Amino acid sequence: MLAKRIIPCLDVKDGVVVKGIEFCHHKNVGKILDLTKLYVNSGADELVFYDIAASARNKLVKKKWIIKIAEITDIPFCVAGGISNLKEVEMILALGADKISINSPAIKDPYFISRIADRFGTQCVVVGIDSWYDKQENVYSVFQYSGDINKTIKTNIQTIDWVKRVQELGAGEIVLNVINQDGKKNGYDVCQLKKIRKICKIPLIASGGAGSKNDFFDLFKKVSVEGALAASVFHNKNINIFDLKKFLHKKGIPIRI
């Protein structure tokens, strides 16, 4: 059985790491390079760097941060933020990123997924999906441009349909960001993840809701996801990644320690 991955996420806006609740009310929580060093040294399996406002602003993630992160990390890292063409993908990979992640650009142009996969391989194309649960309609829907509250769009795409589509188009991995759970620290949306796992045949990463070590254990015990992404609990030092991995190992979860 493959080891589960613990993945800290740097949500970046205007050059600093931020964090909010349900993708709103973002606050400055730290410096990009300081947190990168912290996670590399504490045993993270991967690192995700998201410029959360880039797509909404029709801009590309800044090159300087990719270069600086590549210089101080020896773990795989994924970059997202306004990536909209193959030239930009090539540049970001050449600067040191191992994978790129697309979200809103993929919704705008789904075949962009296929073009990246055909040119660079499925292993380096991650599709981020921002999913919102509508209690009244009892459906999970995909949101676009969710990094900017003033430009966020609720699409007419249901999450489960989008998961099926991006797989067909060549995505190598999916990160499911559950907006309702984001920043609340009350656990991952295991219910939704179970439904998605049934139709998702590629690596699936859970994101949104981690608040304790037991939340990670509960996720890995109940859903066969390949990894868990988290931000607040790591940024605020509520959980040390090395301690988390020892805890999961003792609980029988396959993990790199």
Side-chain angles (χ1 to χ4, degrees), residues 26-74:
H26 293 105
K27 295 181 180 179
N28 181 344
V29 294
K31 296 180 179 179
I32 296 169
L33 299 184
D34 289 348
L35 288 172
T36 296
K37 291 175 184 176
L38 172 66
Y39 300 139
V40 170
N41 293 332
S42 61
D45 295 299
E46 294 182 14
L47 182 71
V48 170
F49 179 94
Y50 286 164
D51 186 327
I52 62 172
S55 287
R57 294 173 176 175
N58 197 28
K59 293 183 178 180
L60 180 65
V61 55
K62 290 187 180 297
K63 295 190 293 184
K64 70 174 184 179
W65 293 118
I66 304 170
I67 296 170
K68 290 180 178 180
I69 289 173
E71 288 175 345
I72 62 173
T73 182
D74 57 359

Side-chain angles (χ1 to χ4, degrees), residues 5 46 78 86 89 93 98-102 110-128 165-175 201-205:
R5 288 178 269 156
E46 294 182 14
C78 179
L86 293 180
V89 174
L93 294 174
D98 298 275
K99 296 184 278 190
I100 62 95
S101 181
I102 53 175
Y111 290 100
F112 184 36
I113 300 170
S114 300
R115 294 196 298 275
I116 298 172
D118 291 344
R119 177 77 174 275
F120 303 102
T122 59
Q123 78 286 345
C124 76
V125 54
V126 179
V127 174
R165 184 88 192 281
V166 302
Q167 289 181 98
E168 294 168 355
L169 291 170
E173 184 169 281
I174 290 172
V175 175
K201 308 305 179 185
I202 60 176
L204 176 64
I205 308 298

Side-chain angles (χ1 to χ4, degrees), residues 173-176 193 196-197 200 202-206 223 225-227:
E173 184 169 281
I174 290 172
V175 175
L176 187 67
L193 287 160
I196 296 300
R197 180 78 282 177
C200 183
I202 60 176
L204 176 64
I205 308 298
V223 191
V225 293
E226 280 69 22

Side-chain angles (χ1 to χ4, degrees), residues 11 20 29 62 66 78 82 94 104-105 111 141-142 153-154 160 171 247:
D11 291 321
V29 294
K62 290 187 180 297
I66 304 170
C78 179
S104 295
Y111 290 100
S141 299
V142 176
I153 299 170
K154 179 183 178 182
I160 199 161
F247 168 80

Side-chain angles (χ1 to χ4, degrees), residues 113-197:
I113 300 170
S114 300
R115 294 196 298 275
I116 298 172
D118 291 344
R119 177 77 174 275
F120 303 102
T122 59
Q123 78 286 345
C124 76
V125 54
V126 179
V127 174
I129 300 177
D130 295 337
S131 181
W132 172 267
Y133 177 58
D134 187 320
K135 293 182 180 179
Q136 291 184 334
E137 297 182 13
N138 192 31
V139 295
Y140 292 93
S141 299
V142 176
F143 272 55
Q144 189 175 13
Y145 303 127
S146 52
D148 187 333
I149 191 172
N150 297 313
K151 296 184 179 180
T152 299
I153 299 170
K154 179 183 178 182
T155 73
N156 59 2
I157 307 169
Q158 290 193 21
T159 303
I160 199 161
D161 294 332
W162 188 229
V163 169
K164 292 176 183 177
R165 184 88 192 281
V166 302
Q167 289 181 98
E168 294 168 355
L169 291 170
E173 184 169 281
I174 290 172
V175 175
L176 187 67
N177 306 302
V178 183
I179 302 173
N180 309 70
Q181 300 294 98
D182 177 68
K184 292 187 174 180
K185 301 182 182 179
N186 58 5
Y188 291 92
D189 188 346
V190 170
C191 180
Q192 180 182 192
L193 287 160
K194 282 183 176 180
K195 293 176 182 177
I196 296 300
R197 180 78 282 177

